[in-house]
Amino acid sequence: MAENKSQNYLHGAAILTAGVLIMKILGFIYKVPIANIIGDDGYSMFLATYNVYNVFLTLATAGLPIALSRLISEAHAEGRVMQARRTFSVAWLSFFVIGLVCSLIMFLFPNEIAVKILHNPPAALSIKSMSFAVLLVCLVSAYRGYCQGYGNMIPTTVGQVLEVFVKVVVGLALAAVFMKMGKGKAVGSAGAIFGVVIGSLVALIYMMVYKRRHYRMDILENPDVPDSYGKIFSHFMRIGIPIALGSCVLAFLNLVDSSLCMGRLQDAAGFTLKESQVLYGVYGKAQTLFNLPAAIITPLTISVVPAIATAIVRGEDDKATKISEDSMRIATVLCMPMGVGLAVLSEPIMNVIYPGSHESGPVLLAIMGLAAFFVCIVLMENAVLQASGKEVWPMYTMIAGGIAKIIVNWFLVANPKINIYGAPIGTLVSYALMFVLNFIFMCIVLDKNPRLRVIMIRPLICSALMGLSAWGIYGLAGRFFGAGHMADFLAMVAAMVVAMVVYVVSTIAMRSVTKEDMRLIPGGDKIARLLHMR
């Protein structure tokens, strides 16, 4: 029998966010040393493989766990225990078949993918090395979707932390050993990436044990009559496929990014394979930092889906609308300052974390910092539309954004004077367009239109104050500490600390986050009292 969890959607999001913070720290320990070990050109192989992996992974897991979470949440709200159990059985088998097919494609055709799609032949070994991670993560996602449907985010968080920790240990060890043995950057990249397979295996074992212990299959006295397997499968796919296709557009964008950048840099802009790998590699390093805000906001989007779906099933439309607007506001408060921080402090961040990288890194990160905010808001808008039963609408907006991205990349990256800078510009244009289209759709779906003034204005003012303070303090601290890598680090830290204080104080003063919001997260009351929030 399922555990009785009392996590509200922000409580669950807080649990997931704590896990994400741990994972991002571990991820930095994983990706940053690897990028510095194998260099810009070696990192281009690593990143290209991840982009291929993410397309298959997103196609297999992005929409279906959300669909499973929603169906389990609806069955739980209606008290249909047997319906929930059968839904999981159908989902597990679906995940297995899809994951196996995707893994076999990567395993059997790595050379074709590396040469014809990525224009990066040395990446073939990395693609083959990572192939069966897709199957393992698919199965993990089935268990995570089941638990999330009951509002329980703890196993997802613990499993993800375990997965990343093992990935870091195994991946770094293999990369270091292979490079020390003189095996070359292609083998070093493959070794680093194989850590993902082992990490996924450990996470799967944990999730299987957790479900067996905490969601027992007791015999019920008066069991409900579940729908047929065929009906559940049809419903599962009807919800999951549009979400998966829509989400896959984002992963496909990264793959197109990789293919277009490498192809256009060589074919149109006149760069050699080595030069193109260096440019795309430093772009990939900037992407690692660019992805941080989206990773922080993803837990909130996961928690919002069952919360809104449950409210709609119960006929509580006002509650669904309030959750939607509050979630967008909190997402803005969390992500806007991160995007501004990446843009304002792009030069010290790149120079400190990736010393010796190509000089284009800071400008690439500055542009991507601006785009990071739109990414986060688009993710939240997608979650609201998906939870409201409009799974297919985000797919339309993402396709439109994808087309914009391809057009911008095609023309700008081919220009020798712009070259790799065209890629982040395309990302910014793409997500800004998605944001506008999604907002229009939300105004159609929700009973009351989300108020952009309430969502955006106060966080924008606070973020502007924060950005100005970070810029000013970094300049002053730079004069005080002098030049050099350590001086850059100290000046950057000083600027970040002051910027955080300015943002927190201004956010509380302007009531961007209220005492009522804080009550929804673990320990929020104590934090609100400590900060004298109203």
Side-chain angles (χ1 to χ4, degrees), residues 289-303:
L289 300 165
F290 159 76
N291 289 331
L292 177 61
I296 297 297
I297 208 62
T298 296
L300 183 57
T301 68
I302 293 173
S303 295

Side-chain angles (χ1 to χ4, degrees), residues 194-244:
F194 190 70
V196 177
V197 178
I198 305 302
S200 301
L201 178 60
V202 172
L204 176 60
I205 294 171
Y206 166 77
M207 292 301 297
M208 292 173 66
V209 172
Y210 187 94
K211 182 179 181 297
R212 179 177 290 274
R213 287 184 177 179
H214 297 275
Y215 293 91
R216 302 184 304 275
M217 296 300 181
D218 297 339
I219 298 175
L220 304 176
E221 293 183 3
N222 298 303
D224 58 290
V225 178
D227 296 338
S228 67
Y229 288 97
K231 184 175 181 180
I232 292 175
F233 177 77
S234 176
H235 196 189
F236 179 57
M237 289 297 173
R238 189 168 64 249
I239 296 172
I241 287 177
I243 300 175

Side-chain angles (χ1 to χ4, degrees), residues 446-494:
L446 299 175
D447 287 344
K448 297 179 181 178
N449 293 346
R451 297 168 294 176
L452 274 181
R453 176 179 56 82
V454 173
I455 294 170
M456 299 285 185
I457 295 299
R458 292 177 183 177
L460 180 60
I461 294 172
C462 296
S463 296
L465 292 173
M466 183 211 73
L468 287 172
S469 65
W471 176 77
I473 294 298
Y474 177 70
L476 292 174
R479 295 182 180 179
F480 177 79
F481 291 119
H485 186 266
M486 181 55 68
D488 267 355
F489 172 75
L490 293 175
M492 180 185 72
V493 171

